[in-house]
Amino acid sequence: MRLVWTGAALAHLEQIQDYIAQDNPAAAYRLARDLTERGKPLSGRSPDVGSQGPGQRDA
């Protein structure tokens, strides 16, 4: 299974990062990095974990 970040998810993450960066740029960077890194172990799990969004299919 492969974890795929949707464009909307990445846009939301960028908005969150920009908001936090107004007060603490280093924390904003760490948050975005940590969230994307924490998703990587999910790609090695069972394909039944999570759900597919509209328009997605198994490769």
Side-chain angles (χ1 to χ4, degrees):
M1 184 172 114
R2 183 171 58 109
L3 176 66
V4 178
W5 290 84
T6 65
L10 291 173
H12 288 141
L13 179 57
E14 185 175 359
Q15 290 172 347
I16 293 166
Q17 185 178 6
D18 289 346
Y19 179 77
I20 294 171
Q22 293 174 18
D23 293 322
N24 191 333
Y29 170 79
R30 285 192 309 270
L31 173 71
R33 181 197 62 209
D34 291 351
L35 284 174
T36 54
E37 288 295 317
R38 288 174 190 244
K40 289 181 181 178
L42 295 175
S43 63
R45 291 196 175 173
S46 168
D48 297 327
V49 173
S51 63
Q52 294 180 330
Q56 294 180 345
R57 59 181 172 80
D58 290 333

